[in-house]
Tab-separated table of all heavy atoms in Angstrom:
chain	number	residue	atom	x	y	z
A	27	ASN	N	5.863	-180.852	52.842
A	27	ASN	CA	6.660	-181.144	54.032
A	27	ASN	C	8.121	-181.421	53.649
A	27	ASN	O	8.503	-181.378	52.478
A	27	ASN	CB	6.085	-182.344	54.777
A	27	ASN	CG	4.994	-181.956	55.753
A	27	ASN	OD1	4.933	-180.834	56.235
A	27	ASN	ND2	4.103	-182.894	56.041
A	28	ASP	N	8.923	-181.753	54.648
A	28	ASP	CA	10.344	-181.981	54.462
A	28	ASP	C	10.612	-183.090	53.443
A	28	ASP	O	9.826	-184.026	53.284
A	28	ASP	CB	11.001	-182.348	55.788
A	28	ASP	CG	10.891	-181.216	56.805
A	28	ASP	OD1	10.656	-180.059	56.391
A	28	ASP	OD2	11.039	-181.486	58.001
A	29	ALA	N	11.764	-182.967	52.785
A	29	ALA	CA	12.122	-183.866	51.691
A	29	ALA	C	13.185	-184.876	52.120
A	29	ALA	O	14.149	-184.520	52.803
A	29	ALA	CB	12.647	-183.054	50.511
A	30	ILE	N	12.995	-186.126	51.721
A	30	ILE	CA	14.021	-187.158	51.888
A	30	ILE	C	14.783	-187.218	50.571
A	30	ILE	O	14.196	-187.491	49.520
A	30	ILE	CB	13.409	-188.526	52.225
A	30	ILE	CG1	12.466	-188.412	53.426
A	30	ILE	CG2	14.527	-189.538	52.494
A	30	ILE	CD1	13.107	-187.846	54.682
A	31	CYS	N	16.094	-186.974	50.622
A	31	CYS	CA	16.870	-186.724	49.412
A	31	CYS	C	18.086	-187.634	49.280
A	31	CYS	O	18.595	-188.165	50.267
A	31	CYS	CB	17.363	-185.277	49.414
A	31	CYS	SG	16.049	-184.060	49.604
A	32	VAL	N	18.545	-187.754	48.036
A	32	VAL	CA	19.781	-188.477	47.723
A	32	VAL	C	20.604	-187.609	46.778
A	32	VAL	O	20.074	-186.695	46.123
A	32	VAL	CB	19.501	-189.843	47.069
A	32	VAL	CG1	18.778	-190.766	48.042
A	32	VAL	CG2	18.685	-189.674	45.782
A	33	PRO	N	21.907	-187.872	46.671
A	33	PRO	CA	22.741	-187.091	45.761
A	33	PRO	C	22.388	-187.329	44.298
A	33	PRO	O	21.770	-188.336	43.939
A	33	PRO	CB	24.163	-187.601	46.066
A	33	PRO	CG	24.076	-188.282	47.379
A	33	PRO	CD	22.693	-188.837	47.458
A	34	LYS	N	22.814	-186.411	43.456
A	34	LYS	CA	22.659	-186.553	42.019
A	34	LYS	C	23.342	-187.841	41.545
A	34	LYS	O	24.403	-188.202	42.048
A	34	LYS	CB	23.286	-185.340	41.329
A	34	LYS	CG	23.148	-185.308	39.827
A	34	LYS	CD	23.807	-184.061	39.281
A	34	LYS	CE	23.668	-183.983	37.756
A	34	LYS	NZ	24.331	-182.762	37.220
A	35	ASN	N	22.720	-188.521	40.611
A	35	ASN	CA	23.271	-189.753	40.026
A	35	ASN	C	23.406	-190.891	41.034
A	35	ASN	O	24.252	-191.773	40.890
A	35	ASN	CB	24.633	-189.484	39.370
A	35	ASN	CG	24.529	-188.485	38.231
A	35	ASN	OD1	23.551	-188.477	37.493
A	35	ASN	ND2	25.540	-187.633	38.094
A	36	PHE	N	22.562	-190.882	42.051
A	36	PHE	CA	22.540	-191.965	43.027
A	36	PHE	C	22.081	-193.249	42.331
A	36	PHE	O	21.305	-193.205	41.372
A	36	PHE	CB	21.575	-191.605	44.155
A	36	PHE	CG	21.685	-192.452	45.388
A	36	PHE	CD1	22.781	-192.353	46.223
A	36	PHE	CD2	20.681	-193.347	45.719
A	36	PHE	CE1	22.877	-193.124	47.373
A	36	PHE	CE2	20.766	-194.125	46.860
A	36	PHE	CZ	21.869	-194.007	47.694
A	37	ASP	N	22.540	-194.378	42.792
A	37	ASP	CA	22.221	-195.669	42.171
A	37	ASP	C	20.704	-195.850	42.008
A	37	ASP	O	19.960	-195.835	42.988
A	37	ASP	CB	22.783	-196.803	43.033
A	37	ASP	CG	22.491	-198.162	42.426
A	37	ASP	OD1	23.252	-198.589	41.547
A	37	ASP	OD2	21.488	-198.790	42.839
A	38	PRO	N	20.204	-196.008	40.783
A	38	PRO	CA	18.759	-196.096	40.523
A	38	PRO	C	18.070	-197.246	41.261
A	38	PRO	O	16.956	-197.078	41.770
A	38	PRO	CB	18.676	-196.291	39.006
A	38	PRO	CG	19.949	-195.735	38.480
A	38	PRO	CD	20.976	-196.030	39.519
A	39	GLU	N	18.709	-198.389	41.305
A	39	GLU	CA	18.094	-199.534	41.977
A	39	GLU	C	17.994	-199.306	43.478
A	39	GLU	O	16.999	-199.671	44.116
A	39	GLU	CB	18.889	-200.808	41.689
A	39	GLU	CG	18.734	-201.318	40.271
A	39	GLU	CD	17.283	-201.574	39.899
A	39	GLU	OE1	16.567	-202.195	40.723
A	39	GLU	OE2	16.863	-201.155	38.817
A	40	LEU	N	19.024	-198.683	44.035
A	40	LEU	CA	19.004	-198.402	45.465
A	40	LEU	C	17.949	-197.346	45.787
A	40	LEU	O	17.293	-197.406	46.830
A	40	LEU	CB	20.385	-197.945	45.932
A	40	LEU	CG	20.640	-197.907	47.442
A	40	LEU	CD1	20.218	-199.209	48.108
A	40	LEU	CD2	22.107	-197.599	47.725
A	41	LYS	N	17.759	-196.392	44.873
A	41	LYS	CA	16.694	-195.392	45.067
A	41	LYS	C	15.332	-196.073	45.143
A	41	LYS	O	14.501	-195.734	45.994
A	41	LYS	CB	16.701	-194.375	43.915
A	41	LYS	CG	17.726	-193.282	44.042
A	41	LYS	CD	17.435	-192.112	43.114
A	41	LYS	CE	17.481	-192.491	41.668
A	41	LYS	NZ	17.360	-191.299	40.780
A	42	LYS	N	15.099	-197.027	44.261
A	42	LYS	CA	13.820	-197.745	44.264
A	42	LYS	C	13.607	-198.491	45.575
A	42	LYS	O	12.511	-198.488	46.137
A	42	LYS	CB	13.770	-198.721	43.093
A	42	LYS	CG	13.668	-198.071	41.721
A	42	LYS	CD	13.626	-199.128	40.629
A	42	LYS	CE	13.576	-198.500	39.247
A	42	LYS	NZ	13.582	-199.531	38.178
A	43	LYS	N	14.680	-199.118	46.057
A	43	LYS	CA	14.583	-199.872	47.305
A	43	LYS	C	14.310	-198.945	48.486
A	43	LYS	O	13.479	-199.241	49.349
A	43	LYS	CB	15.866	-200.662	47.534
A	43	LYS	CG	16.059	-201.822	46.571
A	43	LYS	CD	17.374	-202.548	46.831
A	43	LYS	CE	17.576	-203.692	45.844
A	43	LYS	NZ	18.878	-204.385	46.076
A	44	LEU	N	15.015	-197.813	48.528
A	44	LEU	CA	14.810	-196.853	49.616
A	44	LEU	C	13.382	-196.310	49.614
A	44	LEU	O	12.734	-196.215	50.660
A	44	LEU	CB	15.803	-195.691	49.483
A	44	LEU	CG	17.242	-195.958	49.895
A	44	LEU	CD1	18.138	-194.787	49.476
A	44	LEU	CD2	17.333	-196.165	51.403
A	45	LEU	N	12.906	-195.954	48.433
A	45	LEU	CA	11.551	-195.421	48.334
A	45	LEU	C	10.524	-196.451	48.772
A	45	LEU	O	9.564	-196.128	49.494
A	45	LEU	CB	11.271	-194.966	46.908
A	45	LEU	CG	9.883	-194.369	46.661
A	45	LEU	CD1	9.639	-193.165	47.561
A	45	LEU	CD2	9.724	-193.988	45.184
A	46	ALA	N	10.727	-197.707	48.370
A	46	ALA	CA	9.789	-198.764	48.748
A	46	ALA	C	9.750	-198.941	50.262
A	46	ALA	O	8.675	-199.150	50.849
A	46	ALA	CB	10.181	-200.080	48.073
A	47	ILE	N	10.911	-198.849	50.900
A	47	ILE	CA	10.965	-198.967	52.362
A	47	ILE	C	10.225	-197.812	53.021
A	47	ILE	O	9.422	-198.005	53.941
A	47	ILE	CB	12.425	-199.001	52.848
A	47	ILE	CG1	13.091	-200.313	52.425
A	47	ILE	CG2	12.505	-198.839	54.356
A	47	ILE	CD1	14.592	-200.344	52.639
A	48	LEU	N	10.479	-196.598	52.531
A	48	LEU	CA	9.876	-195.402	53.142
A	48	LEU	C	8.356	-195.412	53.024
A	48	LEU	O	7.641	-195.231	54.015
A	48	LEU	CB	10.443	-194.138	52.491
A	48	LEU	CG	11.913	-193.830	52.772
A	48	LEU	CD1	12.399	-192.671	51.895
A	48	LEU	CD2	12.118	-193.479	54.239
A	49	VAL	N	7.852	-195.601	51.820
A	49	VAL	CA	6.397	-195.528	51.627
A	49	VAL	C	5.704	-196.791	52.128
A	49	VAL	O	4.484	-196.792	52.329
A	49	VAL	CB	6.030	-195.263	50.151
A	49	VAL	CG1	6.653	-193.963	49.679
A	49	VAL	CG2	6.456	-196.414	49.259
A	50	GLY	N	6.470	-197.856	52.354
A	50	GLY	CA	5.887	-199.089	52.849
A	50	GLY	C	5.684	-199.128	54.351
A	50	GLY	O	5.032	-200.035	54.870
A	51	LEU	N	6.220	-198.128	55.055
A	51	LEU	CA	6.040	-198.090	56.501
A	51	LEU	C	4.588	-197.796	56.863
A	51	LEU	O	3.985	-196.878	56.297
A	51	LEU	CB	6.927	-196.991	57.114
A	51	LEU	CG	8.440	-197.228	57.143
A	51	LEU	CD1	9.160	-195.942	57.547
A	51	LEU	CD2	8.786	-198.348	58.121
A	52	SER	N	4.045	-198.536	57.788
A	52	SER	CA	2.711	-198.196	58.288
A	52	SER	C	2.821	-196.917	59.113
A	52	SER	O	3.907	-196.564	59.592
A	52	SER	CB	2.168	-199.323	59.160
A	52	SER	OG	2.930	-199.422	60.357
A	53	GLU	N	1.705	-196.236	59.282
A	53	GLU	CA	1.735	-195.003	60.071
A	53	GLU	C	2.164	-195.288	61.507
A	53	GLU	O	2.873	-194.495	62.121
A	53	GLU	CB	0.379	-194.305	60.032
A	53	GLU	CG	0.035	-193.731	58.672
A	53	GLU	CD	-1.136	-192.785	58.694
A	53	GLU	OE1	-1.858	-192.735	59.725
A	53	GLU	OE2	-1.348	-192.059	57.697
A	54	GLU	N	1.744	-196.433	62.036
A	54	GLU	CA	2.108	-196.782	63.412
A	54	GLU	C	3.610	-197.030	63.531
A	54	GLU	O	4.256	-196.534	64.467
A	54	GLU	CB	1.342	-198.031	63.862
A	54	GLU	CG	-0.161	-197.838	63.999
A	54	GLU	CD	-0.884	-197.785	62.663
A	54	GLU	OE1	-0.288	-198.182	61.621
A	54	GLU	OE2	-2.048	-197.327	62.646
A	55	LYS	N	4.181	-197.764	62.591
A	55	LYS	CA	5.610	-198.047	62.614
A	55	LYS	C	6.419	-196.769	62.403
A	55	LYS	O	7.403	-196.510	63.110
A	55	LYS	CB	5.963	-199.066	61.541
A	55	LYS	CG	7.442	-199.439	61.477
A	55	LYS	CD	7.915	-200.118	62.753
A	55	LYS	CE	9.338	-200.604	62.618
A	55	LYS	NZ	9.829	-201.228	63.875
A	56	ALA	N	5.990	-195.961	61.443
A	56	ALA	CA	6.700	-194.718	61.171
A	56	ALA	C	6.673	-193.798	62.381
A	56	ALA	O	7.674	-193.169	62.738
A	56	ALA	CB	6.083	-194.014	59.960
């Protein structure tokens, strides 16, 4: 399916935080 993307060399810590938010969403909330 579609990709959620960030630019090359994006801040590693912020990437971790974004990913945690995305995958942490319940199906109902999402």
